[in-house]
Amino acid sequence: MVEKVISLEDVSLVDFLGVENNHIKEVAAAFPMSKIISRGNEIRVMGTQPEIVRITDILQSLLQHYQKYGKITNENVRHYLTANGGSVAPPHVLEDEKDVILYGTKGVVVKAKTANQRLMVEKAAENDLLFAIGPAGTGKTYTAVAIAVQALKEKKVKKLIITRPAVEAGENLGFLPGNLEEKIDPYLRPIYDALDDMIQGEKLKFYLENRIVEIAPLAYMRGRTLNNAFILLDEAQNTTPSQMKMFLTRMGPSSKVIITGDKTQVDLPKNQKSGLRDALETLKNVKGIGFVELDGRDVVRHRLVKEILEAYERKEKE
């Protein structure tokens, strides 16, 4: 008998193995002459050499499926058991992948839902620096996080860094309890919500603890050179010109950057120019920088959000 050990790294064991290990039991039932044992994050396979090769192919295909789609179903297991070599992807999951950015957690499919969101995906692939500007609800932050997570999952970068300026939106941080990180955390909540949709819980915890995914106020970026990383600057309209320049000069070799912001929601003092506006004016003719302007047509929240934005735009023109 030959023995093979397969390690399950960065995998939710319940999602991969199935409830009460049903997925692995189904594979084992198809090979009664072999023995398949799941212990912790390892699967031990014992049997003849030909069966070991076949079982390993099936388990590796299931692992690749899980890494791409974020889940395994009984139907998937049966498909790979009957597929030639266990490597053919189930046809039903390939129905319409054109606008899919990535497959998230709990079956969430993260897609570019509008023309400008699709343009964001294209421009991010073409440029190392992308400005995505638009009002609330246009999905610019969510799409940017998805693009960055996809790059991390595909090992195109080693780190994902997400930052926001610590500017108060009508609130006084000094009166909030806790240290600076605890005070800023609520402002970063939309980022955490997006990551929860895209990275399985245990894996996200591992990434955060090992600083593979880092979420921090913009002030923490000073003095750093960010290499082989995907960096997102959100709420960029609340940076000052000097902060924006500081951030932009953090780019190291093999870095990718997406900057998102809303020019209509600046929370800086009235006499302070927005670093986002300044950067858009200064860098508009620099080659290698992409620009995408989202608008009311890209709103993917409640239908009233689009009408609210249009009403405010009409008022500003009066």
Side-chain angles (χ1 to χ4, degrees), residues 114-251:
T114 70
N116 282 323
Q117 289 179 10
R118 286 190 286 274
L119 188 59
M120 278 185 66
V121 176
E122 293 171 12
K123 292 279 189 181
E126 296 168 0
N127 300 279
D128 287 338
L129 173 59
L130 171 66
F131 286 86
I133 313 304
T138 51
K140 58 189 182 296
T141 297
Y142 195 85
T143 303
V145 173
I147 293 168
V149 169
Q150 179 198 41
L152 184 64
K153 283 188 171 185
E154 294 181 355
K155 303 188 187 304
K156 293 177 181 176
V157 294
K158 292 183 178 179
K159 291 191 70 171
L160 168 54
I161 300 169
I162 306 174
T163 185
R164 277 183 166 187
V167 173
E168 307 159 33
E171 300 177 39
N172 194 323
L173 290 176
F175 288 100
L176 295 175
N179 58 30
L180 178 60
E181 288 186 74
E182 291 167 334
K183 291 176 180 181
I184 295 300
D185 191 66
Y187 293 88
L188 298 170
R189 180 46 48 191
I191 303 296
Y192 286 107
D193 291 342
L195 290 171
D196 284 340
D197 281 350
M198 300 174 199
I199 304 175
Q200 188 271 331
E202 292 176 15
K203 196 169 189 178
L204 179 57
K205 182 181 178 183
F206 172 83
Y207 281 168
L208 290 168
E209 288 176 349
N210 290 274
R211 301 181 77 82
I212 296 169
V213 173
E214 185 178 345
I215 305 172
L218 180 59
Y220 287 23
M221 298 298 107
R222 189 174 297 279
R224 300 178 63 180
T225 299
L226 306 173
N227 185 29
N228 208 349
F230 210 121
I231 311 120
L232 305 183
L233 171 58
D234 193 37
E235 300 289 349
Q237 73 275 4
N238 288 327
T239 61
T240 64
S242 62
Q243 285 176 325
M244 178 62 80
K245 183 180 178 183
M246 176 275 292
F247 173 78
L248 290 171
T249 54
R250 299 306 93 203
M251 287 183 69

Side-chain angles (χ1 to χ4, degrees), residues 9-283:
E9 296 181 3
D10 297 334
V11 167
S12 167
L13 297 179
V14 173
D15 291 339
F16 181 76
L17 301 173
V19 177
E20 296 181 349
N21 289 359
N22 282 338
H23 296 159
I24 295 304
K25 287 177 181 177
E26 188 159 358
V27 175
F31 297 92
M33 302 301 292
S34 297
K35 194 170 185 179
I36 304 176
I37 302 170
S38 172
R39 286 182 182 167
N41 65 342
E42 288 185 346
I43 296 177
R44 292 183 176 273
V45 185
M46 291 161 281
T48 63
Q49 183 66 31
E51 284 209 346
I52 290 284
V53 171
R54 173 76 174 129
I55 293 168
T56 300
D57 284 346
I58 291 168
L59 292 175
Q60 291 294 348
S61 295
L62 285 169
L63 275 169
Q64 290 171 12
H65 182 103
Y66 175 83
Q67 295 294 351
K68 182 172 184 180
Y69 300 106
K71 63 176 182 177
I72 297 288
T73 66
N74 291 332
E75 183 183 0
N76 299 148
V77 176
R78 287 190 287 272
H79 171 84
Y80 287 112
L81 282 170
T82 57
N84 181 29
S87 60
V88 181
H92 71 277
V93 299
L94 301 173
E95 288 174 358
D96 183 15
E97 290 196 323
K98 188 175 113 178
D99 295 326
V100 173
I101 302 173
L102 59 84
Y103 292 86
T105 61
K106 303 184 179 85
V108 172
V109 179
V110 182
K111 288 186 173 185
K113 296 180 179 178
T114 70
N116 282 323
Q117 289 179 10
R118 286 190 286 274
L119 188 59
M120 278 185 66
V121 176
E122 293 171 12
K123 292 279 189 181
E126 296 168 0
N127 300 279
D128 287 338
L129 173 59
L130 171 66
F131 286 86
I133 313 304
T138 51
K140 58 189 182 296
T141 297
Y142 195 85
T143 303
V145 173
I147 293 168
V149 169
Q150 179 198 41
L152 184 64
K153 283 188 171 185
E154 294 181 355
K155 303 188 187 304
K156 293 177 181 176
V157 294
K158 292 183 178 179
K159 291 191 70 171
L160 168 54
I161 300 169
I162 306 174
T163 185
R164 277 183 166 187
V167 173
E168 307 159 33
E171 300 177 39
N172 194 323
L173 290 176
F175 288 100
L176 295 175
N179 58 30
L180 178 60
E181 288 186 74
E182 291 167 334
K183 291 176 180 181
I184 295 300
D185 191 66
Y187 293 88
L188 298 170
R189 180 46 48 191
I191 303 296
Y192 286 107
D193 291 342
L195 290 171
D196 284 340
D197 281 350
M198 300 174 199
I199 304 175
Q200 188 271 331
E202 292 176 15
K203 196 169 189 178
L204 179 57
K205 182 181 178 183
F206 172 83
Y207 281 168
L208 290 168
E209 288 176 349
N210 290 274
R211 301 181 77 82
I212 296 169
V213 173
E214 185 178 345
I215 305 172
L218 180 59
Y220 287 23
M221 298 298 107
R222 189 174 297 279
R224 300 178 63 180
T225 299
L226 306 173
N227 185 29
N228 208 349
F230 210 121
I231 311 120
L232 305 183
L233 171 58
D234 193 37
E235 300 289 349
Q237 73 275 4
N238 288 327
T239 61
T240 64
S242 62
Q243 285 176 325
M244 178 62 80
K245 183 180 178 183
M246 176 275 292
F247 173 78
L248 290 171
T249 54
R250 299 306 93 203
M251 287 183 69
S254 306
S255 290
K256 298 275 283 187
V257 174
I258 299 180
I259 296 172
T260 61
D262 179 358
K263 292 183 289 186
T264 68
Q265 290 191 346
V266 178
D267 297 314
L268 295 167
K270 289 186 178 180
N271 62 346
Q272 176 68 69
K273 185 174 184 179
S274 166
L276 177 61
R277 288 182 179 273
D278 183 69
L280 292 174
E281 294 168 7
T282 304
L283 304 175

